[in-house]
Amino acid sequence: MEHFKNGDRPTKYGPAEYFVGTVLQDPIVEAPEPARIRAVRVTFLPGGRTNWHTHPLGQTLYVVSGQGRYQTEGQKVVAIKAGDTIWIPPGERHWHGAAPNQMMCHIAFQEALDGKHIKWEDPVSDEDYTTEPG
């Protein structure tokens, strides 16, 4: 058993190759194999967002605070807020992040398949990001 005390693991900035804007990541679960679960608290400052991406076994997002947005490829942008839970099926191309003028913090849960839990793709354009939620 491992006990990670608050402050044991430093906050990391989301890498610019996978995120637009300022994004902070705090690990919750990074379980070694054979476990597959990973959970991360992600805080997006206003305008911050992920690139387009997919997950081989899907992803669940739980919005802790603030207001944000997500979009599945080919569908309208959706507004999200504290208390919302979003299930993203395996292989569904999507992005998520803060609203343009509000921060958003969520916990992201995903499982790895063959050691991989995410496939990163291209950045979300400003045009797609600033589209009003439908």
Side-chain angles (χ1 to χ4, degrees):
M1 183 180 300
E2 289 186 72
H3 176 183
F4 298 99
K5 294 182 180 180
N6 188 8
D8 282 354
R9 298 179 289 180
T11 297
K12 299 176 187 173
Y13 283 94
E17 65 215 83
Y18 305 135
F19 297 93
V20 174
T22 303
V23 179
L24 305 171
Q25 299 176 308
D26 291 287
I28 297 172
V29 177
E30 293 177 336
E33 291 186 5
R36 300 188 304 188
I37 189 70
R38 176 175 280 188
V40 180
R41 184 179 64 203
V42 186
T43 303
F44 299 86
L45 296 189
R49 58 196 181 266
T50 68
N51 283 5
W52 288 99
H53 61 283
T54 62
H55 300 276
L57 296 176
Q59 181 181 50
T60 298
L61 304 176
Y62 176 74
V63 182
V64 175
S65 61
Q67 294 185 21
R69 297 174 170 195
Y70 80 87
Q71 183 180 25
T72 295
E73 184 176 39
Q75 298 182 17
K76 293 183 179 188
V77 174
V78 177
I80 56 178
K81 61 183 179 183
D84 289 357
T85 300
I86 300 99
W87 162 244
I88 301 138
E92 185 169 283
R93 190 170 191 253
H94 69 284
W95 65 267
H96 35 96
N101 297 311
Q102 276 238 333
M103 61 74 65
M104 188 268 293
C105 177
H106 68 46
I107 298 175
F109 305 87
Q110 55 271 329
E111 291 182 287
L113 180 63
D114 298 324
K116 300 202 184 287
H117 68 280
I118 191 166
K119 179 183 175 204
W120 288 107
E121 299 180 10
D122 51 312
V124 174
S125 70
D126 287 342
E127 182 180 349
D128 283 344
Y129 174 71
T130 58
T131 300
E132 284 299 313

